[in-house]
Amino acid sequence: MNKTLHRKVAAFACCIATLSALGITAFAQIPFPEDGDIDSMTELIDGKVNLIAGQIEAAPGEIVTFPVYVANNADPGFAATGVRLVYDPRLIPILKENGRPMIKHNTAAGDEVVMSSALNEDLNLIGIGTMSSDGEMDNGIFFTAQLQVPEDAQPGDVFPIELGIERFTDSNTNPVEVAIRNGCIRVAAAPEEPEEPENPEEPVDPEVPVDPAQPADPEQPAEPAEPQAPAQPKAPEQPLGPIRVVAGAIEAKAGETVSFPVYIENNIETGFAATGVRLNYDPRLMPCINENGKPVFDHSGAAGDGLAMSGSLNEERHMFGIGTMSSEGEPDNGLFYTVDFTVPADAKAGDVFDMTLEIEKFMDRETAQLAVETVGGSITVTGEAEEPEDPAEPEEPVQEEPEVRKVSVIAGMVEAKIGERVTYPVYIGNNAAPGFAAAGIRLTYDPRLEPCTNEEGGLIFNGKCVAGDDVVKTFALNTEEHIIGVGTMSFEGEKDNGLFYTVDIQVPDDAKIGDVYPMKLTIQHFSDTNAGPIAVETIDGCILVTGEAEQPAEPENPKGKKDKKDKKDKKDKKDKKDKKDKKDKKPHKLDWLFNPYDWFEFLR
C-alpha cells in the first residue's frame, strides 16, 4: 500500500476518534528532577521505545519550537498512539487560526503516521493522536509544539514539560512498551555587556549610506545587532483574494435530469483538505437518489479527485452537504463535484431555480482555516422536454434479467492432522473495479476448534495478502459465540482476487480421522468507496482431519540414562501445561463490527 493511501486511511481514522484529555495511563517514567539538573537525564531505557521531551534554552518572551523525540524504536514500530504533553501553566501555547495548537509532525519519526491534536487549556495539556496502517519504525523527532516563554521570566527559571501515554500500539493493535523521559524549557542567563573598546572610532553617520563593497574596518568593533522579535506563525501562502467556491449557471429543459456543477477557483499552492460545504437548492427541484438511498454525486473532477468525499442530503431543508478529507491537500482549480437534480415536468421556459452555497469549514492539511468566498448559481429552464417519437411498429421488448456480478467470499477447505495447528485461509473471488472498501465479515468456527493467540491474548491474524493489501483491517475474537470478526476500510478500494486473510486454528488432540469442523461465513456489510452496496455470495468451508499427528523422532541416547517411559511422561506434562496456558490466556472479545461510513453525519 502506498504512502498516500496510508495517510488517507489514517486521516479518516483520526476524524472519527478526536482526542480527549482525561487521566494518563501509567507507563515507565523518569520524573523531572526537582533540582532542574537536566544534564542527568541522558541514559536510554533498553527494551522499550523511549519517548523523550526536549531540554532547551530560551529567552524571556521567546516563542520556541519544542521537540518530542522517539528513540529505541524498531520493527514493527508504532501506529495508533495517544500522547499527552503537559506544559508548565506559565507557558503560553501558540495556536492556529482555528484554535488548535501549532503542531508539526512531518519529521523523521512522524512522517509515516497521520496525526491529530487538541488543546485543554484548563489542564495545560496538548493531546496528540496518531494512526497508521503499517507503523512508524524510524527514530528522531516525533512532533514539535510551539510554546511562548513569559515576558517576565528570569534567567535560570525552569518550565517543566511532562509526557503521558494514553495508548501506544503497533499496526496489529498489540501494545508497545514505552519509557517516558520528561523535559523542560530553561531561561538562559542574561548575556554579558560587551566591553567598551579603548579607542573607539567615530561612528558612521547613520544618514550616510555605507558602500557594501567597501571592506569593514577590522579595528572597528561591530555593534551588537538589535534583538529580533520572535517570529509569529504565518498563515498559509495564498493568491490574492480568497479561494472561491462557485455554483454553476446552467440551462435545462422541463423534466430534464442534470448534473449540477460546483467549481473551485483561486486555489492556494498547498491546497485544501478538510471541508464542509452546503449546497442549498430550490425546493421545486428533485434531487436524484441511488439504490441505497444516497444522493447521486460525483467528485472525479480536477479539483475533487485528490480527496476522500462523502455526501448527505437533507430534503426537509433542501440542502445537499459534502465533507472532504485529505492528508496532502487538493491544489487544483476546476470542477469540485456535481450533484444530480431533476427539473419539474411542469416548469416553464424562463423559470430560474436558484442555488446558493454555505461553508461550514474549509481547512488546509495542517487544519488551518482558509479564506473562502462563495458564488451562487442557478438552473434556467429554456424549453419543454422533447417528447420521444412513437415507433411505427413497436416491438415487444425482450425481458432479460440483468446480470448482477457478485463478489465471492470463500472459506477454505483445509486438511489437518490430529492436534495440528493450521493457518486457515479466506479468499476473495469475482472481484473487479471499483473494488470493495468497507466490509464487515464474520467467520463462525466449530466450537471444538481453538483459535491461536499470542502472548498478549491477541488473535494470530495475517491480513497482508494479495486481496487484502489495499484495505486496512481490524479484527476481533468472540470466544463465547465462536466468531472471528474482520472489518475493512479503504479510500481507493481493493480490486484484486486471491487470499484475503488467514487465522491460526488449533485442531483438538482428541480429534478422530474423518472428523469435519465446519467454518461458516456471514456478511454484515460490503460496500465500495462511495458507500454503495456490493452484492456478495459466501461459500462456507471446513477443516477435515485426515491423519494422526506425526511423532517426533526419538533422539539418540548412547548413554542409556533416559528410557522411553521418561520421555513420554515428560511430553505428557508439557502437553498439559500448554493446554492450561492456552485456557489462562484471555483473548479479545468481539462485541461489534462497525460500518466505517457511519462516522459522517454532516447535516444536523
Side-chain angles (χ1 to χ4, degrees):
M1 189 184 295
N2 57 42
K3 186 178 290 187
T4 299
L5 180 58
H6 291 171
R7 291 177 174 171
K8 285 182 179 178
V9 174
F12 173 85
C14 289
C15 286
I16 62 175
T18 307
L19 294 167
S20 62
L22 301 175
I24 296 173
T25 306
F27 275 72
Q29 183 165 347
I30 303 175
F32 186 82
E34 295 182 359
D35 59 2
D37 182 14
I38 61 176
D39 296 330
S40 65
M41 302 167 60
T42 56
E43 295 182 3
L44 297 179
I45 297 178
D46 293 332
K48 299 180 179 181
V49 174
N50 284 230
L51 198 61
I52 305 168
Q55 302 168 1
I56 63 176
E57 291 188 342
E62 183 180 354
I63 295 176
V64 299
T65 299
F66 187 85
V68 174
Y69 302 90
V70 169
N72 270 5
N73 189 23
D75 191 12
F78 60 88
T81 71
V83 179
R84 295 182 172 89
L85 184 148
V86 182
Y87 56 89
D88 189 289
R90 295 169 293 173
L91 296 172
I92 303 171
I94 302 300
L95 308 181
K96 302 176 184 178
E97 293 180 1
N98 62 352
R100 290 183 178 274
M102 191 71 71
I103 300 294
K104 180 180 179 183
H105 76 279
N106 54 340
T107 46
D111 60 348
E112 292 294 338
V113 293
V114 172
M115 185 176 292
S116 182
S117 62
L119 175 68
N120 187 325
E121 293 186 277
D122 294 335
L123 298 177
N124 308 309
L125 182 149
I126 295 173
I128 301 294
T130 72
M131 178 57 65
S132 170
S133 59
D134 275 358
E136 172 62 78
M137 290 179 282
D138 293 331
N139 290 286
I141 294 179
F142 184 24
F143 66 88
T144 62
Q146 290 196 1
L147 302 167
Q148 185 172 19
V149 178
E151 296 282 354
D152 58 357
Q154 301 299 315
D157 282 355
V158 176
F159 301 90
I161 306 288
E162 298 183 355
L163 298 174
I165 300 294
E166 173 69 14
R167 62 175 178 172
F168 218 89
T169 61
D170 63 19
S171 57
N172 288 322
T173 70
N174 296 316
V176 176
E177 290 191 88
V178 182
I180 293 173
R181 177 171 296 116
N182 296 322
C184 71
I185 299 173
R186 183 168 57 188
V187 178
E192 297 181 0
E193 293 293 331
E195 295 182 2
E196 193 71 23
E198 295 181 0
N199 295 311
E201 296 289 335
E202 191 70 21
V204 178
D205 188 347
E207 297 181 0
V208 179
V210 179
D211 184 359
Q214 185 69 27
D217 187 347
E219 296 182 0
Q220 175 69 29
E223 294 185 5
E226 289 291 329
Q228 298 295 320
Q232 296 296 324
K234 294 182 179 180
E237 293 185 5
Q238 188 165 328
L240 294 176
I243 296 174
R244 287 158 53 91
V245 184
V246 182
I250 65 173
E251 297 179 345
K253 294 181 179 179
E256 184 181 359
T257 296
V258 295
S259 293
F260 187 81
V262 176
Y263 302 92
I264 295 293
E265 298 177 357
N266 206 39
N267 199 359
I268 63 174
E269 183 178 352
T270 54
F272 60 91
T275 71
V277 180
R278 295 186 174 101
L279 175 66
N280 303 303
Y281 58 90
D282 190 296
R284 295 172 292 173
L285 294 172
M286 181 71 69
C288 298
I289 306 298
N290 61 21
E291 295 177 354
N292 63 343
K294 298 285 186 179
V296 178
F297 75 101
D298 179 75
H299 65 97
S300 59
D305 59 352
L307 301 163
M309 184 179 293
S310 183
S312 293
L313 182 67
N314 188 325
E315 294 185 88
E316 294 180 358
R317 297 172 59 185
H318 312 295
M319 183 177 72
F320 171 72
I322 65 101
T324 71
M325 176 55 64
S326 171
S327 61
E328 296 187 355
E330 173 58 78
D332 294 330
N333 290 290
L335 185 61
F336 187 21
Y337 66 89
T338 64
V339 58
D340 288 7
F341 293 96
T342 299
V343 178
D346 58 357
K348 307 300 182 187
D351 285 353
V352 177
F353 302 91
D354 292 327
M355 315 288 272
T356 61
L357 291 164
E358 293 181 72
I359 302 298
E360 174 75 12
K361 63 178 179 178
F362 217 88
M363 300 178 179
D364 66 10
R365 61 188 178 187
E366 300 294 336
T367 70
Q369 181 66 40
L370 301 172
V372 184
E373 70 176 10
T374 61
V375 179
S378 63
I379 299 175
T380 302
V381 180
T382 59
E384 296 182 358
E386 296 179 359
E387 293 291 335
E389 295 182 2
D390 291 331
E393 295 180 0
E395 297 180 1
E396 188 69 23
V398 178
Q399 298 293 332
E400 294 184 359
E401 291 293 330
E403 184 178 350
V404 178
R405 179 180 62 85
K406 290 185 177 181
V407 175
S408 299
V409 183
I410 307 165
M413 304 279 287
V414 178
E415 295 181 352
K417 292 183 171 60
I418 297 170
E420 184 180 1
R421 170 174 162 173
V422 297
T423 297
Y424 188 81
V426 174
Y427 302 91
I428 294 291
N430 203 30
N431 192 20
F436 64 91
I441 301 171
R442 287 184 173 180
L443 176 67
T444 303
Y445 58 90
D446 189 291
R448 296 169 292 172
L449 298 173
E450 184 175 358
C452 299
T453 56
N454 55 27
E455 294 180 356
E456 290 78 22
L459 181 69
I460 297 179
F461 175 94
N462 177 26
K464 295 182 179 179
C465 308
V466 174
D469 59 349
D470 282 334
V471 290
V472 174
K473 297 185 181 71
T474 59
F475 59 89
L477 175 65
N478 184 333
T479 55
E480 295 178 1
E481 299 181 15
H482 314 294
I483 293 173
I484 296 169
V486 176
T488 73
M489 171 48 61
S490 169
F491 281 100
E492 295 186 1
E494 173 60 75
K495 307 175 187 65
D496 294 330
N497 291 284
L499 187 61
F500 186 29
Y501 67 87
T502 65
V503 292
D504 282 14
I505 302 286
Q506 182 76 37
V507 177
D509 290 336
D510 58 357
K512 303 290 189 293
I513 295 175
D515 283 354
V516 177
Y517 300 94
M519 308 292 277
K520 180 177 177 59
L521 288 166
T522 54
I523 304 297
Q524 282 196 300
H525 59 268
F526 212 87
S527 58
D528 60 23
T529 54
N530 289 321
I534 296 175
V536 184
E537 64 175 359
T538 60
I539 300 175
D540 297 333
C542 67
I543 297 175
L544 172 65
V545 179
T546 58
E548 297 182 356
E550 295 180 0
Q551 297 296 327
E554 291 290 338
E556 295 183 3
N557 188 17
K559 296 183 180 179
K561 293 183 178 179
K562 298 286 184 182
D563 58 18
K564 292 183 179 179
K565 183 177 182 304
D566 292 336
K567 292 175 183 175
K568 184 177 183 303
D569 292 344
K570 186 176 181 181
K571 180 179 182 299
D572 291 342
K573 289 180 181 178
K574 182 178 183 300
D575 290 344
K576 290 180 181 178
K577 182 178 182 300
D578 289 344
K579 290 180 182 178
K580 183 178 182 302
D581 289 343
K582 288 179 182 177
K583 291 180 181 178
D584 291 341
K585 292 173 182 174
K586 296 180 179 179
H588 296 298
K589 181 178 179 181
L590 168 67
D591 298 327
W592 51 267
L593 270 176
F594 66 92
N595 186 338
Y597 284 101
D598 289 342
W599 72 272
F600 182 80
E601 189 58 39
F602 178 76
L603 299 174
R604 295 181 291 275

